[in-house]
Amino acid sequence: MIELRNVNKTYNGKVKAVDNLNLKIEKGEIFGFLGPNGAGKTTTIKMITGIINTDSGSITINDVDIEKNPIEAKRQFGFVPDDPNIFLRLKGIEYLNFMADIYNVSSADRKERIDSLSKRFEMENAIGDPIQSYSHGMRQKIVIMGVLVHNPNVWILDEPLTGLDPKSSFLLKEMMREHTQSGKTVFFSTHVLEVAEKICDRVAVINNGRILFCGTLEEMKNHFKGESSLEKMFLEMTGNED
Amino acid sequence: MKINTILLAKVLLKGGGNKSGKGKNRPRWLLWIILAVAFLPLVAQLAVFTSVSYEVLKGMALQSIIPAIALALTSFVVFFFGIFYVLNTFYFTTDIESLLPLPFKPFEIIGAKFIVVTIYEYLTELVVLLPVLIVYGVMSGSGVLYYIYFLVIFLTLPVIPLVISSLIIMPLMRFTGLVKNKDRFKYIASIIALGIGVGFQVVIRKFVNSAADTSKLENTLTDLNRNVKTVTDFFPSAKFAALSLIKSAELSGFANIFLFICITAIFVFVFLFLSQLLYFKGVMGVSESGSRRRKLSRSEFEKITASRSVLLTYFLKEIKIIIRTPAYFINCLLSNFIWPVIILIPNITSNRKGMSISQFGELINQNANQGFILAIGFGFSLFLASSNCVTSTAISREGQNLYINKYIPLGFDKQILMKVMTGVVIGILGVGVLFTVISIMFKLSLTFVLVLIVSGIIGIIFSSFTGIIFDLLNPKLNWDNEQKAVKQNLNVIFNMLVSLIVAGVFIVLIFFTGLSLIQTFVTIVIAFGLFISILYFLVSRIGVKLFKRIEG
Ligand SMILES: Nc1ncnc2c1ncn2[C@@H]1O[C@H](COP(=O)(O)OP(=O)(O)OP(=O)(O)O)[C@@H](O)[C@H]1O
Ligand SMILES: [Mg+2]
């Protein structure tokens, strides 16, 4: 569960990136975060994960406040950033083991998970090589595996599907489903409306730092009686803004 | 075409992008003032030293040896730094991959990079050459021509030594294209290049030593040209430069500067020609890294996935990244061993003059002034740990990936301490090598060695802490290739400056108070123990806040 209350963020005292944002992501749901470029998705995610500080407002993950109790809050989630170019000098497996150590994963658990994840993501032949030698999509896979290896309760992913091949993309979506079925939470941003339509229980649409809509896709369709496709609804919502 | 080269050089120079944090644009002049203040003491010292030497040498009618020595030594310094600059600018940047698709001719890219390196060397010249030759010019009452020639020489002097360092490195690096493990080969090649540089140092020391041998000087007192020649034999071109300055009032001065410029031009052409053959094949695939694409064997898998404590794992990550990133390897690790080498070589090579090494060792072991020598050892450790820049670039090195440290569930205090620990361990490595060699060479007593080691470690810890404080205050995170995180990073200079001042003040204090070995040791333990506690407190309280505040 993730909860944001009256969260604000301004960059350099000028760009209001997030404007009095309220959002609640429940246990057991896949939540999609939609919005055009520069809407404030990454900024919101960075505040949830403790990467940047909020100007005001509070954020809790599984009821743990990220400001007040950062370490405990950070133990609740796993994060996939939008830029997969991290730890390029480490070997894939070294990175996975680093994450396992940081999150205190037992020796037996990590071995089993690394084994099965590298099989499922078809990375068995690559994990022994430096991440520097990976393609963009392989780098994304290793970052996702780095999250799965410590099996966090909440998944937070910033555009996880761009760059993945169809098979891996399907696999990730399937894993999101499995994850939420056991009562856990998935929160991810995306530009791909079809993906949102297919797997999200609820979505929020953000533009210029403000939430324009939050609810199930059914509700969205009811709201826009006239429009037939999600794309048209999205364009109408975000286009009217300015 | 020329315009292209100069434009490109400008872009490459600016690429340093000294911005940290967004919107915080520090004025450029501030940077220059800081640099000037940092080097002013050295410049002043050199100026004073020159004027004193001038008076002394004038008595022997030998004053014109000053420009000769200055030019030869500057050429050498330029050459030695050149090895680093060329490695960094030509090989360990990845900008070449973004330059290749652009419509530049090969020699334009090489030329631009060469200009960049030459400009770096002007800074070296500003510090080591300018004060000496200005003082010489004033004291010898030289005319306008002297200063015109000097300006020309100032601008062109770095070229020849830089071409020589490039020509050592380029053929070596040419082989990277051929070997399988490119990263590893790059290390080996840089170590070889440094070895050659050090070898040069040994040879030139011998030259200077024999030239400075007074008996020899007296023999050749009448033959000015021969004196200049001995000193400048090593960099022959420096001879013409020196003669043009010495004889600036005569026609032969003009002839000499003309010759100097011609030789320099020839070097430039040779360089451009050879580098086109050598450079691009060597630099291709700089960002390639070894990959095998095969399944790990069961035992390899078991070994890599062993579980470790959180702190150890973070520490090992830091070390691995330093070792595996060529730019960090050179600047953080290899640089650690350069000072020891520079200090050891004159002692090894010049044992024939003055006292012998064992005599010197006896002196340390018996002399009442052991406290002073301990203070020097301590000061040196302090300085070495600051010059290896492990902690003073620890945050900067994270660059755009700093955010990872923000979302992993490991306290910022612990992360910072592990970064300090990395600096301490690497510092101990560098100082350890030197102390071991010195202890064996000088046959130091066990007590002295023990006391020296403990003091050394204290010094290393101290400057590792001050280093990370500078980097926490103002990290340089906006870089596009790794060498910019460690090169052109002011935090390194700040920390070296602080270490130099602290070490200097401490050595002077011990010298004047004349404390004994044990007294000095106790002073170090108590005073710097206290300083370190304060620094520890600062880092774990305020440092954490600073770390939190940094938003990549
Ligand atoms: N580090 C920063 N400094 C200043 N402004 C920033 C910074 N990061 C983002 N912004 C601004 O904040 C706003 C929101 O950006 P954000 O990255 O959150 O958008 P986004 O929804 O993730 O967009 P995209 O779909 O392109 O990833 C934009 O106007 C952007 O220009
Ligand atoms: Mg984004």
Side-chain angles (χ1 to χ4, degrees):
Chain A
M1 191 185 71
I2 306 171
E3 197 170 358
L4 293 93
R5 280 187 225 94
N6 307 321
V7 171
N8 286 285
K9 178 73 188 181
T10 306
Y11 285 111
N12 304 326
K14 278 186 227 110
V15 189
K16 183 102 192 171
V18 168
D19 193 354
N20 204 33
L21 193 110
N22 283 285
L23 207 58
K24 190 167 181 191
I25 294 112
E26 301 289 348
K27 284 200 167 90
E29 72 177 351
I30 301 183
F31 194 98
F33 200 35
L34 311 176
N37 294 130
K41 301 182 295 294
T42 299
T43 306
T44 308
I45 290 177
K46 279 183 175 170
M47 288 190 288
I48 298 174
T49 50
I51 293 170
I52 57 176
N53 307 311
T54 56
D55 294 345
S56 63
S58 76
I59 299 173
T60 57
I61 301 136
N62 286 343
D63 296 320
V64 189
D65 192 302
I66 187 82
E67 279 286 324
K68 293 186 191 119
N69 198 351
I71 304 296
E72 194 45 41
K74 287 172 190 174
R75 293 209 160 276
Q76 306 301 316
F77 66 80
F79 173 49
V80 175
D82 55 352
D83 169 27
N85 301 311
I86 63 177
F87 291 121
L88 299 182
R89 299 285 171 181
L90 295 189
K91 293 175 184 161
I93 190 166
E94 286 174 340
Y95 167 67
L96 298 180
N97 202 50
F98 173 78
M99 293 304 265
D101 278 334
I102 293 282
Y103 289 87
N104 300 326
V105 180
S106 78
S107 204
D109 280 352
R110 80 176 65 177
K111 283 183 208 297
E112 191 227 292
R113 283 181 200 153
I114 293 175
D115 226 15
S116 80
L117 283 170
S118 52
K119 278 196 192 96
R120 282 183 85 173
F121 280 102
E122 298 183 325
M123 291 282 282
E124 278 175 293
N125 291 331
I127 54 169
D129 291 331
I131 299 180
Q132 181 120 52
S133 71
Y134 291 5
S135 72
H136 184 87
M138 289 162 78
R139 290 178 189 184
Q140 258 178 309
K141 287 192 207 171
I142 201 81
V143 175
I144 293 171
M145 288 161 71
V147 165
L148 302 182
V149 83
H150 64 90
N151 192 24
N153 188 291
V154 176
W155 293 2
I156 300 173
L157 315 102
D158 198 357
E159 285 172 40
L161 297 167
T162 30
L164 289 186
D165 60 26
K167 194 172 171 204
S168 316
S169 165
F170 178 79
L171 177 64
L172 181 62
K173 285 183 271 185
E174 201 180 54
M175 288 176 136
M176 287 180 179
R177 273 261 157 271
E178 286 169 22
H179 190 65
T180 49
Q181 264 153 18
S182 56
K184 293 168 183 164
T185 314
V186 175
F187 176 71
F188 74 103
S189 75
T190 182
H191 287 128
V192 193
L193 299 169
E194 289 73 40
V195 171
E197 193 165 19
K198 239 178 251 155
I199 62 166
C200 290
D201 299 308
R202 285 199 308 147
V203 298
V205 180
I206 183 175
N207 196 16
N208 294 326
R210 279 193 293 270
I211 300 280
L212 303 178
F213 172 83
C214 180
T216 63
L217 285 157
E218 275 310 303
E219 284 165 357
M220 191 144 121
K221 279 176 188 148
N222 290 337
H223 188 80
F224 292 88
K225 287 246 164 52
E227 304 294 355
S228 49
S229 79
L230 192 62
E231 190 178 21
K232 287 217 174 101
M233 288 189 259
F234 182 82
L235 288 177
E236 180 172 328
M237 237 191 293
T238 54
N240 287 344
E241 262 293 299
D242 28 41
Chain B
M1 295 187 301
K2 266 239 180 85
I3 306 287
N4 256 348
T5 314
I6 290 166
L7 275 180
L8 187 56
K10 264 192 184 160
V11 173
L12 292 181
L13 265 176
K14 283 225 179 91
N18 244 320
K19 267 188 285 172
S20 64
K22 294 193 171 89
K24 244 200 310 174
N25 239 329
R26 257 179 305 133
R28 269 196 114 67
W29 53 264
L30 191 67
L31 193 146
W32 288 108
I33 291 182
I34 290 164
L35 278 177
V37 171
F39 287 109
L40 215 57
L42 189 59
V43 171
Q45 245 178 347
L46 269 172
V48 172
F49 180 71
T50 310
S51 73
V52 172
S53 318
Y54 187 89
E55 291 301 338
V56 173
L57 286 169
K58 200 171 177 207
M60 300 187 273
L62 268 178
Q63 69 275 36
S64 40
I65 206 168
I66 290 176
I69 292 181
L71 289 167
L73 282 184
T74 307
S75 302
F76 175 72
V77 173
V78 165
F79 159 78
F80 196 65
F81 283 165
I83 290 182
F84 280 83
Y85 290 157
V86 169
L87 276 173
N88 271 324
T89 312
F90 280 77
Y91 289 96
F92 295 158
T93 56
T94 43
D95 58 9
I96 191 72
E97 297 200 338
S98 38
L99 292 179
L100 284 178
L102 300 174
F104 288 119
K105 299 201 177 62
F107 75 87
E108 287 173 341
I109 295 179
I110 299 169
K113 285 186 173 252
F114 195 80
I115 291 175
V116 169
V117 184
T118 311
I119 289 174
Y120 288 156
E121 297 282 20
Y122 288 156
L123 295 178
T124 318
E125 280 191 294
L126 269 180
V127 176
V128 297
L129 188 65
L130 190 77
V132 177
L133 288 189
I134 294 281
V135 169
Y136 177 81
V138 171
M139 293 190 78
S140 62
S142 301
V144 164
L145 266 182
Y146 173 89
Y147 295 99
I148 294 176
Y149 290 168
F150 174 45
L151 183 69
V152 173
I153 290 168
F154 186 90
L155 294 177
T156 47
L157 186 70
V159 170
I160 292 175
L162 276 176
V163 168
I164 298 175
S165 22
S166 313
L167 291 184
I168 290 176
I169 291 167
M170 285 184 168
L172 275 171
M173 283 300 178
R174 170 66 184 80
F175 293 107
T176 39
L178 308 176
V179 297
K180 262 209 189 111
N181 197 329
K182 293 195 167 61
D183 271 340
R184 188 166 304 158
F185 182 79
K186 273 188 274 181
Y187 300 142
I188 295 171
S190 17
I191 293 169
I192 293 175
L194 272 177
I196 296 177
V198 169
F200 272 44
Q201 157 126 340
V202 175
V203 175
I204 205 159
R205 284 257 174 206
K206 286 216 163 120
F207 265 112
V208 176
N209 282 345
S210 61
D213 204 328
T214 35
S215 59
K216 228 181 183 176
L217 279 183
E218 272 151 27
N219 289 341
T220 51
L221 197 69
T222 45
D223 193 353
L224 185 80
N225 284 351
R226 237 167 67 207
N227 269 318
V228 174
K229 193 177 167 301
T230 3
V231 181
T232 54
D233 253 356
F234 199 67
F235 281 103
S237 59
K239 184 180 98 184
F240 300 113
L243 285 173
S244 77
L245 288 177
I246 297 164
K247 299 183 174 171
S248 59
E250 301 162 34
L251 192 65
S252 71
F254 180 77
N256 275 301
I257 192 131
F258 182 74
L259 258 171
F260 175 69
I261 292 173
C262 287
I263 296 175
T264 304
I266 293 171
F267 267 78
V268 169
F269 282 114
V270 169
F271 170 76
L272 282 178
F273 175 73
L274 287 178
S275 60
Q276 295 207 43
L277 300 179
L278 293 168
Y279 178 56
F280 287 96
K281 289 218 174 79
V283 79
M284 290 293 184
V286 268
S287 67
E288 259 173 55
S289 54
S291 66
R292 298 169 298 171
R293 289 294 183 271
R294 64 169 183 80
K295 203 165 175 283
L296 291 171
S297 74
R298 202 62 227 171
S299 63
E300 284 171 313
F301 183 87
E302 289 292 327
K303 215 174 121 207
I304 302 181
T305 54
S307 85
R308 299 190 193 91
S309 84
V310 181
L311 292 182
L312 180 64
T313 224
Y314 194 87
F315 169 79
L316 288 177
K317 176 213 83 170
E318 293 283 313
I319 297 273
K320 272 182 200 152
I321 291 179
I322 289 179
I323 293 179
R324 292 184 191 169
T325 312
Y328 301 164
F329 179 80
I330 288 245
N331 291 292
C332 300
L333 210 81
L334 214 53
S335 70
N336 231 346
F337 300 99
I338 286 172
W339 288 105
V341 167
I342 287 179
I343 289 179
L344 285 177
I345 279 177
N347 290 310
I348 294 171
T349 54
S350 65
N351 52 354
R352 65 196 153 79
K353 66 168 217 188
M355 74 183 103
S356 74
I357 285 175
S358 56
Q359 277 172 314
F360 189 64
E362 256 167 55
L363 198 78
I364 297 181
N365 280 332
Q366 291 163 11
N367 197 298
N369 224 352
Q370 281 188 337
F372 179 59
I373 292 168
L374 178 68
I376 293 179
F378 170 75
F380 177 77
S381 317
L382 204 90
F383 172 73
L384 191 86
S386 72
S387 72
N388 74 23
C389 78
V390 174
T391 59
S392 52
T393 62
I395 311 290
S396 303
R397 289 198 308 268
E398 300 276 352
Q400 294 300 313
N401 277 340
L402 183 79
Y403 70 88
I404 300 166
N405 300 293
K406 301 284 189 83
Y407 73 74
I408 56 174
L410 179 60
F412 297 153
D413 50 345
K414 297 198 180 100
Q415 298 192 28
I416 297 173
L417 283 180
M418 281 306 113
K419 285 177 189 292
V420 172
M421 183 73 113
T422 316
V424 172
V425 168
I426 291 180
I428 288 177
L429 222 67
V431 175
V433 170
L434 180 74
F435 282 2
T436 312
V437 175
I438 286 186
S439 308
I440 295 170
M441 240 168 56
F442 294 157
K443 302 199 179 63
L444 299 180
S445 69
L446 192 63
T447 350
F448 190 85
V449 173
L450 277 179
V451 167
L452 188 65
I453 289 173
V454 175
S455 313
I457 293 177
I458 293 177
I460 294 168
I461 296 177
F462 177 82
S463 65
S464 296
F465 269 111
T466 53
I468 200 124
I469 288 179
F470 280 119
D471 210 31
L472 279 167
L473 281 170
N474 194 7
K476 180 177 169 187
L477 299 169
N478 278 325
W479 42 260
D480 49 5
N481 72 63
E482 289 135 342
Q483 69 135 344
K484 285 176 184 158
V486 280
K487 280 263 147 220
Q488 306 158 29
N489 191 335
L490 274 184
N491 298 330
V492 181
I493 293 172
F494 287 147
N495 196 37
M496 282 171 77
L497 200 65
V498 164
S499 301
L500 269 180
I501 293 171
V502 171
V505 167
F506 186 74
I507 292 171
V508 169
L509 271 179
I510 296 300
F511 181 74
F512 281 114
T513 53
L515 295 183
S516 72
L517 180 67
I518 295 306
Q519 285 168 328
T520 308
F521 179 63
V522 171
T523 314
I524 291 175
V525 172
I526 292 178
F528 282 85
L530 190 71
F531 289 152
I532 291 172
S533 316
I534 296 172
L535 287 170
Y536 174 81
F537 178 80
L538 276 177
V539 161
S540 52
R541 292 295 168 84
I542 299 166
V544 168
K545 291 212 180 83
L546 289 173
F547 198 96
K548 208 170 157 224
R549 207 195 57 190
I550 304 165
E551 296 188 347

